[in-house]
Amino acid sequence: MTVPRAAAAGSLTARLRTWDWVYLGYLLFVPAQPYFSPRPAWWEWPLAIAVCTATAALYAAKLLRGPAARHVWTAIVPMAAIGTLATPFNTNASVLLVYAAAVVGDTLSWREARLWFAALTVLGSAAAVVSRVPMPYRLWGFVSASVLIWVIGLLELRQRDRRQEWENQRLRTSQVELLATLAERERIARDLHDLLGHSLTAVVMRAQLTKELVPVDPERARAEAEEIERNAREALAAVRSTVTGWRRTTVRSELEAARRALAGTGVSLGVDYDDGLLLVAAVEHELGLALREAVTNVARHARASHCRIGLDADEKRVQLVIADDGIGGSAPEGTGLTGLRERIAKLGGVVQRSGSAGTTLTITVPLEAAAR
């Protein structure tokens, strides 16, 4: 059993799509007792159904609220109480104590969690003592629950700590990246100030001299004008070299550029983009460049009437999809797509291209490298 955890984007939709719902399957152990009993009592089936329904409701509430909330009174205590009361009549209901231990490991501190594991073990022992279930079935349920309370609970604690460490590392990486960006901006500001202050002063002075020379010495005025042009070109080249590598693009800005570019070629555009998705700047820059390259290819070569762009994320990856209904084809990739593959590969991602029906370009980047 694993800890219910919120999806990467933290949205309700992402939580509803999580695989953690499959762990409700452990509740099938509860109706197994009346199902396999030769002559179940009349109350065994209603009890099993009530226990499963209540637990599923508590589990769903816990899952939708996310791992950040403390679920002592909304999940742990109710699950422990239901399990303790139901186990004397249905030994498999002890699985509720394991559910409670999993929630404990997901939300409480190590010290609090160990106390809860001990308390849940005591509750399971008390329920086994007063149980009406005959041996050895009673013993099997008690022993398995007592072991899993500690095993599952401690595993959840370890997994939660690893996730927290991963989040902290990602935060530190983002902070380092921000500080590096600020330092680079300050350097560029200093370089531009020194460069443009000197260059523009020289241009102004020569322009004034040229103006005075035009009526008296046209040849020298022409030479000064040529020098002004040379100084201006040198300054422009220096500015470009100074800012190279600093300016970053974003997916949002490239989406706006894509709308303008495709509208000019008569291609309609549909966009499915999660505004709440936060990406590391370096990854967003690469995805923005990928979007620019793909849209350029659609506008130039696809002969499409419609293009669709989608960007979403789940618990494992961030995925950008650009699809068109154009001519497709299996022509060799150009240098643009080759360079795109190399840049995405440095992020640990992959680029997939399909040209069977139109063209679909899918760029996938691992979540740990992309989201923040």
Side-chain angles (χ1 to χ4, degrees):
M1 188 184 302
T2 188
V3 180
R5 51 184 178 270
S11 65
L12 178 61
T13 301
R15 292 174 186 168
L16 288 172
R17 293 171 60 186
T18 179
W19 280 99
D20 291 329
W21 292 102
V22 302
Y23 298 107
L24 284 173
Y26 289 103
L27 288 177
L28 294 176
F29 286 109
V30 178
Q33 178 170 308
Y35 180 81
F36 289 105
S37 177
R39 289 187 297 273
W42 66 268
W43 46 264
E44 290 192 48
W45 274 110
L47 175 64
I49 294 173
V51 167
C52 292
T53 303
T55 306
L58 293 170
Y59 184 91
K62 192 292 184 209
L63 196 62
L64 295 178
R65 289 183 64 193
R70 290 174 64 91
H71 299 277
V72 175
W73 297 105
T74 59
I76 299 172
V77 170
M79 286 182 179
I82 296 172
T84 303
L85 294 174
T87 297
F89 307 97
N90 186 321
T91 190
N92 293 332
S94 59
V95 72
L96 271 71
L97 302 178
V98 183
Y99 274 99
V103 180
V104 166
D106 185 36
T107 58
L108 302 183
S109 66
W110 274 82
R111 180 177 177 276
E112 293 174 308
R114 287 194 294 265
L115 293 175
W116 269 102
F117 296 157
L120 291 172
T121 304
V122 171
L123 289 175
S125 302
V129 170
V130 300
S131 177
R132 298 178 53 176
V133 179
M135 292 291 187
Y137 306 107
R138 182 198 315 183
L139 183 62
W140 292 346
F142 163 69
V143 171
S144 60
S146 298
V147 172
L148 289 176
I149 285 171
W150 289 90
V151 172
I152 297 298
L154 292 174
L155 284 175
E156 296 298 343
L157 281 168
R158 294 288 298 275
Q159 290 180 4
R160 186 196 64 192
D161 286 351
R162 284 198 294 269
R163 289 198 305 273
Q164 186 62 48
E165 178 59 28
W166 175 63
E167 291 292 339
N168 292 338
Q169 180 62 39
R170 191 167 63 179
L171 178 61
R172 288 193 293 268
T173 301
S174 298
Q175 291 173 339
V176 170
E177 186 177 61
L178 175 61
L179 292 174
T181 300
L182 293 176
E184 183 67 4
R185 287 179 177 177
E186 292 177 358
R187 181 193 67 80
I188 291 173
R190 291 192 301 269
D191 291 348
L192 288 178
H193 177 271
D194 296 340
L195 171 66
L196 294 181
H198 171 77
S199 300
L200 293 180
T201 299
V203 168
V204 170
M205 293 178 62
R206 288 186 178 277
Q208 292 174 341
L209 177 60
T210 302
K211 182 172 63 175
E212 296 173 357
L213 290 174
V214 168
V216 297
D217 192 346
E219 289 301 322
R220 186 180 174 189
R222 179 180 299 176
E224 290 295 335
E226 292 175 352
E227 186 66 18
I228 291 173
E229 180 182 4
R230 188 182 65 81
N231 287 343
R233 291 185 181 277
E234 289 178 353
L236 180 60
V239 169
R240 286 174 174 170
S241 64
T242 300
V243 301
T244 296
W246 169 62
R247 185 180 180 186
R248 292 186 178 275
T249 188
T250 65
V251 174
R252 186 186 298 274
S253 64
E254 291 300 327
L255 283 174
E256 293 302 319
R259 292 183 189 278
R260 295 191 296 269
L262 294 178
T265 59
V267 180
S268 63
L269 177 63
V271 177
D272 183 12
Y273 175 56
D274 184 3
D275 288 330
L277 180 61
L278 298 178
L279 300 175
V280 173
V283 174
E284 180 156 20
H285 176 68
E286 294 299 337
L287 291 179
L289 294 179
L291 178 56
R292 182 189 302 175
E293 176 68 23
V295 170
T296 300
N297 287 338
V298 173
R300 290 181 177 178
H301 311 299
R303 303 180 191 172
S305 59
H306 181 73
C307 177
R308 180 181 62 84
I309 298 174
L311 178 66
D312 64 4
D314 60 17
E315 294 179 348
K316 295 182 179 180
R317 83 323 176 240
V318 174
Q319 183 169 274
L320 173 65
V321 178
I322 304 96
D324 66 73
D325 60 356
I327 59 175
S330 57
E333 295 182 359
T335 57
L337 279 178
T338 301
L340 171 60
R341 289 187 185 277
E342 293 173 354
R343 294 195 302 272
I344 296 299
K346 291 180 180 179
L347 302 175
V350 294
V351 178
Q352 296 175 313
R353 175 176 175 246
S354 171
S356 57
T359 300
T360 299
L361 195 68
T362 304
I363 299 99
T364 303
V365 178
L367 181 66
E368 59 265 26
R372 60 181 178 181

